[in-house]
Amino acid sequence: MKPKVVIYKKIPQEVLSYIKQYCRVSYYEHLESWSNPEFLNDLKDAHGMLGSGMSINKKLLDRAPQLKIVCNASVGYNNFDMDELTLRGIMATNTPDVLTDTTADTIFGLLLSAARRICEMDRYVKDGKWNRLIGEDLFGIDVHHKVLGIIGMGRIGTAIAKRANLGFDMEILYHNRSRNENAEKLYGAKKTELDDLLSKSDFVCLMTPLTEETKNLISYREFEIMKKNAIFINGSRGETVNEKALVKALTTRQIAGAGLDVYKEEPINPNHPLLKLNNTVTLPHMGSATAETRTKMAFLAAENMVRGLSGETPPSLINTTLLSAR
């Protein structure tokens, strides 16, 4: 009998058809809560799960005793209790690489929008306020030949460095646990301590994964170190930033502006003070949101699922320590 999988995220029909060739599928296109009785019943004999965002923790895993693999259709996997999954011998996978360039495009676009006040000026024109040459109060900030500091020089951080250095002649500083020799060689990136990066950068781009060490990595002290004309970009996870500290830095003009694609609470509360600030560009966590990329992500998640359940090594296995136990 084919293994049973539970899909709790809308995926393209062609991806769903691919999975059905190899698995029995319980498909929840719009699952509002994992406490849904039908969903919980399906977990009892599920061998695999595919989706994103849902917290895969001990409480849920206790309801899925036959589970062999969980597949995130995203690059991030902070929703996984990795210790618990590995302890139970359950494979965990994600979808890196396929979204690198698309996300880098979004983040650099966010940087440009914040620097040149593009969203604000769009509203200015559409609201009928453009009736004369704009004055200095509406001027933006140059991006070219400036210093970009990237915190977290992984795949996406490197792709951002490429766009910044080769496209805009920007000097690249980066802070990372290990050296990124490729970024150093190709884009002249310089590895620095965090405080040096913060004090020297005209743009600070946060791209680190969310871990216990990176929670509130950027807070009151870090914003105080930044230049007064610096622009802060967050394309990582909302919890890597103390949002109260960010609001203070923006409202007091401790920094010049911000561009955000992620928030501590998502969707963000409509009354959140960040949404009231003209010097902040806010996006709805859309870094990888193109049809082409989301389809590639879904196919990679599906391939991880199918190969994992067939006894092969999934292409994007996270807890690789399980390989030695096979």
Side-chain angles (χ1 to χ4, degrees):
M1 183 181 293
K2 294 179 180 178
K4 177 180 176 180
V5 301
V6 177
I7 300 173
Y8 55 94
K9 173 188 176 72
K10 184 177 181 180
I11 60 175
Q13 185 59 48
E14 59 266 37
V15 180
L16 183 61
S17 298
Y18 165 73
I19 296 174
K20 285 182 175 180
Q21 293 179 52
Y22 304 95
C23 306
R24 293 175 291 133
V25 176
S26 290
Y27 182 40
Y28 295 85
E29 187 172 308
H30 300 290
L31 185 67
E32 295 184 2
S33 170
W34 76 267
S35 60
N36 177 306
E38 187 177 352
F39 173 74
L40 291 176
N41 188 60
D42 275 324
L43 289 182
K44 292 178 182 179
D45 58 348
H47 300 98
M49 295 179 64
L50 187 153
S52 64
M54 183 181 295
S55 181
I56 308 297
N57 53 26
K58 184 179 186 301
K59 186 178 179 181
L60 183 143
L61 293 173
D62 284 344
R63 295 177 174 272
Q66 298 189 49
L67 200 62
K68 298 181 183 301
I69 187 169
V70 290
C71 304
N72 253 12
S74 69
V75 65
Y77 54 89
N78 54 290
N79 59 309
F80 286 171
D81 184 333
M82 289 302 303
D83 290 339
E84 191 67 29
L85 286 165
T86 303
L87 180 66
R88 297 176 186 230
I90 299 171
M91 293 176 284
T93 71
N94 63 341
T95 58
D97 297 325
V98 294
L99 51 69
T100 295
D101 282 320
T102 299
T103 304
D105 286 349
T106 301
I107 300 305
F108 203 81
L110 189 56
L111 185 154
L112 284 169
S113 295
R116 298 305 306 270
R117 301 170 67 173
I118 290 174
C119 298
E120 184 184 355
M121 293 301 96
D122 174 70
R123 291 194 300 270
Y124 181 81
V125 173
K126 289 177 178 175
D127 288 346
K129 296 179 180 179
W130 185 34
N131 49 32
R132 58 179 176 81
L133 290 175
I134 65 170
E136 292 183 8
D137 58 318
L138 298 179
F139 285 1
I141 298 172
D142 278 335
V143 173
H144 61 86
H145 296 92
K146 293 292 183 69
V147 179
L148 171 62
I150 302 175
I151 305 170
M153 189 65 96
R155 296 179 182 89
I156 300 173
T158 303
I160 293 169
K162 176 182 178 180
R163 286 153 176 74
N165 179 251
L166 301 184
F168 289 80
D169 293 306
M170 298 182 81
E171 178 183 347
I172 309 298
L173 303 179
Y174 77 97
H175 178 73
N176 206 49
R177 286 180 297 180
S178 56
R179 285 186 61 187
N180 186 323
E181 295 183 5
N182 188 53
E184 292 177 7
K185 179 182 178 180
L186 296 177
Y187 315 123
K190 301 172 185 175
K191 189 174 186 295
T192 68
E193 294 300 319
L194 179 59
D195 285 3
D196 285 342
L197 181 149
L198 295 173
S199 65
K200 296 176 181 178
S201 298
D202 300 297
F203 299 88
V204 175
C205 185
L206 183 58
M207 299 304 301
T208 184
L210 176 62
T211 65
E212 286 301 318
E213 291 73 28
T214 62
K215 282 185 179 179
N216 289 324
L217 178 65
I218 306 298
S219 191
Y220 294 99
R221 188 188 76 87
E222 287 71 29
F223 286 119
E224 289 173 359
I225 296 173
M226 292 183 198
K227 294 180 178 182
K228 296 293 183 183
N229 63 345
I231 288 179
F232 173 71
I233 305 296
N234 191 8
S236 58
R237 287 292 184 269
E239 291 181 75
T240 57
V241 178
N242 182 330
E243 287 186 348
K244 290 183 179 179
L246 175 58
V247 170
K248 179 185 176 184
L250 291 166
T251 53
T252 62
R253 299 287 171 166
Q254 198 167 13
I255 61 173
L260 310 171
D261 191 35
V262 290
Y263 313 88
K264 185 174 182 180
E265 177 188 349
E266 296 184 358
I268 190 170
N269 188 312
N271 297 315
H272 198 295
L274 283 171
L275 304 186
K276 315 299 179 186
L277 301 175
N278 286 334
N279 60 340
T280 306
V281 180
T282 51
L283 299 181
H285 201 150
M286 53 170 280
S288 63
T290 68
E292 301 99 316
T293 294
R294 289 293 173 87
T295 297
K296 290 176 184 177
M297 290 167 66
F299 262 120
L300 179 53
E303 184 182 1
N304 282 323
M305 175 80 73
V306 169
R307 290 179 63 174
L309 291 176
S310 67
E312 300 178 41
T313 300
S316 307
L317 182 65
I318 301 166
N319 46 354
T320 54
T321 54
L322 293 179
L323 295 177
S324 59
R326 288 189 170 186

